[in-house]
Amino acid sequence: MAEKVLTANRLGDGIAVWLDANGQWIENLQDAFVARHAEAEAALEQTGKRALADNLVVDVNLIDVEERDGKLWPLRLRERIRAEGPTMPYAEGHGFADPDFIAA
């Protein structure tokens, strides 16, 4: 089973966020809570459904990640781009994606 994290977009500004171990939506994938078994995945799914229902976030998804050299690495390119930042400017204060991180 792949490790998973819960991601979404914050409703107020559309920025990609991840759920941390304290139940907070954070902007840094590296601080996200990692589900390593089915029970943790189920708990994350329930938390995501509640956050969506409470209008905190949209586009809630569990995504596959793996740990590489102590860093969380999303398995899909789309998620690496979301984690590292946009490939073009769109939100003040948010930089560009690191090309090495999003390389396929």
Side-chain angles (χ1 to χ4, degrees), residues 8 10-12 20 30 34 55-56 62-63 69 76 81 91:
R10 194 167 43 214
L11 192 58
D20 72 5
Q30 301 308 315
V34 179
N55 292 317
L56 299 175
L62 276 177
I63 63 165
D69 300 322
R76 292 186 59 212
I81 291 170

Side-chain angles (χ1 to χ4, degrees), residues 26-104:
I26 57 171
E27 294 182 20
N28 185 353
L29 166 66
Q30 301 308 315
D31 295 327
F33 174 78
V34 179
R36 293 183 166 87
H37 52 79
E39 292 82 6
E41 281 184 35
L44 284 179
E45 285 181 326
Q46 287 303 320
T47 300
K49 287 177 183 178
R50 279 193 309 274
L52 179 64
D54 290 343
N55 292 317
L56 299 175
V57 293
V58 295
D59 194 23
V60 180
N61 293 291
L62 276 177
I63 63 165
D64 294 334
V65 295
E66 66 182 14
E67 217 170 314
R68 293 186 188 174
D69 300 322
K71 188 172 186 178
L72 292 177
W73 184 270
L75 299 185
R76 292 186 59 212
L77 175 60
R78 173 187 186 266
E79 300 306 332
R80 288 196 303 268
I81 291 170
R82 291 179 75 245
E84 190 63 21
T87 56
M88 57 182 265
Y90 79 95
E92 188 172 326
H94 294 276
F96 294 95
D98 174 0
D100 291 332
F101 188 75
I102 63 170

